[in-house]
Amino acid sequence: MRASIAVAIVVVAFATIACSDPERALVAPSNSPAALAAGARWPHAAASGALRAVRAANEQSVAAAPALVPPGAPLPPFVEARLYAITAIAVHDALNAIVPRYERYADDGPIDAGASAEAAALTAARDAIVGAAPASTAATDAWYAREMASVPDAGIPDGIAIGRRAAAAILARRATDGVATGGVAPYTQLTGPGDYRFTAPFDAPPFTFIFPGTDGFADAAVWGTTVTPFVVASASQFRAPRPYGAPSGAAAVLTPAYAADFAEISMLGCAACAARTADQTEAALFWMENSPTGWNRIARTLADRRNLDAIETARLFAQLQMAEFDAYTTSLESKYHYGFWRPVSAVALADTDGNPATSTIAGWQVLAFPTPPVPDYPSAHATAGGAAAVIMEMMMPGRVPFSTTSGSLAGVTRVFASVADAARENADSRVFIGYHFRHATDVGLAQGRTVGEYVATNALRPLRGPR
């Protein structure tokens, strides 16, 4: 992560230039499966307090995320997802060490029926956030003191002990996950048709100074081969198929499908593209924000709409962010395995790609400069959205209309009939903004759904059948 932080500082320098009631009584804390089946209950106040703690923990992890990078620096979404996942897992494991309803991820300590769930969740979150984002310590400690001040006295010491244990377990498990180096390494670009090229401004100083001897900077070039996922077996487990089904990038740009995608993005993805509608422009800018931020906001909305209880909500947040992290890691592995060029490069070099159906367009530039400095295929943004949608679909079945806002387009609310529809628009938005060819977004969305299904069925599974 130190390498990523160093890169982030340079980026900043550039930027300055340019289904139950939430108060329902929960299954009673007990070491005995028989007691769980018998339906003994937590008191009403304890159930409400636990849910409040889970949601407060989630809010604080979001508030702490900017501390992962220097002030004002862009926050890599895959680094952001890691913090959210570590925090959510710690909270989930802490609650399930009191009421064991789902498999725990990292903690395997004893069940303590008398512990305060509220204190456990808050403490797990505090220790996890501080451990994963040390620069947030002062703000997180102040938050923790405020939250703990209203926790009822019963079971607090035991709850604190469980929370600390759960956070320590997940932090230890992720201590050597490869994220500390940021997945950053020198990248040597190729120069054939379809080959990924460094994109502006990452092809000029100061970015060319990051790795002397290279022609530019490509982010997270080895993330997919050096970082450990949370749930999937490896980053290559769900590698995307070859771009356009072709044996090479040079062959891919000769396909009719590529020519169709080229025509679409050349008309819709540029800053001056008159063919793009006002709604498409709004969607492009609305979905610009980091996926872990946006999809976490949607998860909070739907958890409230579906009246999830504390443990269900904790599980939703944990599965969601593990899936997002694994989706990014899977996508980055595929991106650098194939190294397919971005639309901005393709349009500039179209006269040299060998395809008579494509032509260079002078001055073509994306709607929101700059193009992210990673290869086109598949779209990581679409992959993350696909994974997030599946997690929510599997935990909260059925089409539920909802509205949501965006951190990248203030004052705008968009309405969706389902999370699947939102994920589709999220993927499409990367065409409208000019960052990705349609094929990259379609394959990314499918890849993300596959990752999400794997996470949903292999992590934090129920300890018993449906209630």
Side-chain angles (χ1 to χ4, degrees), residues 60 64 67 126-127 129-145:
Q60 182 57 26
R126 182 269 167 201
D127 284 10
I129 292 170
V130 168
S136 73
T137 298
T140 301
D141 281 347
W143 163 82
Y144 180 65

Side-chain angles (χ1 to χ4, degrees), residues 183-207:
V184 177
Y187 181 80
T188 301
Q189 67 177 358
L190 301 178
T191 57
D195 290 333
Y196 176 66
R197 315 297 176 86
F198 297 121
T199 57
F202 308 103
D203 57 351
F207 298 97

Side-chain angles (χ1 to χ4, degrees), residues 105-465:
Y105 182 88
D107 174 54
D108 59 1
I111 305 300
D112 185 345
S116 164
E118 197 169 351
L122 293 171
T123 303
R126 182 269 167 201
D127 284 10
I129 292 170
V130 168
S136 73
T137 298
T140 301
D141 281 347
W143 163 82
Y144 180 65
R146 290 192 302 270
E147 294 294 330
M148 286 294 291
S150 62
V151 176
D153 292 339
I156 284 182
D158 290 339
I160 290 173
I162 286 177
R164 287 178 174 165
R165 188 185 77 202
I170 183 57
L171 288 169
R173 183 160 175 174
R174 299 302 298 184
T176 57
D177 62 6
V179 172
T181 62
V184 177
Y187 181 80
T188 301
Q189 67 177 358
L190 301 178
T191 57
D195 290 333
Y196 176 66
R197 315 297 176 86
F198 297 121
T199 57
F202 308 103
D203 57 351
F207 298 97
T208 50
F209 301 151
I210 295 173
F211 294 114
T214 64
D215 297 320
F217 170 71
D219 197 13
V222 295
W223 183 281
T225 56
T226 61
V227 169
T228 303
F230 277 89
V231 183
V232 302
S234 72
S236 61
Q237 181 178 356
F238 299 113
R239 179 183 291 164
R242 292 178 179 275
Y244 297 97
S248 66
V253 300
L254 299 178
T255 63
Y258 172 79
D261 282 359
F262 183 96
E264 178 186 40
I265 202 162
S266 65
M267 292 188 298
L268 298 181
C270 65
C273 284
R276 186 181 55 246
T277 68
D279 185 68
Q280 289 170 336
T281 299
E282 182 178 284
L285 300 175
F286 184 90
W287 289 103
M288 265 188 67
E289 72 174 333
N290 282 5
S291 289
T293 304
W295 287 103
N296 183 75
R297 185 184 301 115
I298 293 170
R300 289 174 60 86
T301 297
L302 293 185
D304 184 58
R305 291 282 304 278
R306 288 299 188 93
N307 295 323
L308 299 191
D309 65 30
I311 296 181
E312 291 163 344
T313 302
R315 181 174 182 250
L316 171 63
F317 291 152
Q319 281 197 338
L320 172 67
Q321 297 301 344
M322 286 193 291
E324 294 253 83
F325 183 92
D326 285 8
Y328 274 111
T329 302
T330 297
S331 179
L332 286 166
E333 193 280 335
S334 295
K335 282 179 179 288
Y336 284 101
H337 180 77
Y338 296 117
F340 196 68
W341 64 10
R342 285 280 190 165
V344 68
S345 300
V347 173
L349 299 171
D351 289 346
T352 68
D353 66 12
N355 190 331
T358 66
S359 299
T360 296
I361 302 174
W364 193 96
Q365 189 52 265
V366 297
L367 171 62
F369 183 85
T371 294
V374 293
D376 169 73
Y377 178 85
S379 164
H381 206 75
T383 302
V390 166
I391 295 297
M392 286 184 263
E393 287 169 351
M394 295 184 73
M395 279 201 66
M396 300 173 286
R399 292 173 64 87
V400 179
F402 68 94
S403 62
T404 190
T405 57
S406 169
S408 55
L409 193 60
V412 172
T413 298
R414 290 183 73 84
V415 180
F416 302 96
S418 68
V419 288
D421 289 347
R424 179 69 261 177
E425 182 178 275
N426 172 70
D428 292 346
S429 75
R430 303 311 259 188
V431 175
F432 305 147
I433 205 168
Y435 293 167
H436 288 291
F437 291 111
R438 172 73 59 182
H439 183 58
T441 64
D442 287 347
V443 173
L445 183 59
Q447 182 185 58
R449 293 191 65 86
T450 301
V451 170
E453 288 168 3
Y454 187 87
V455 171
T457 55
N458 287 279
L460 316 183
R461 292 171 292 196
L463 293 175
R464 57 188 178 89

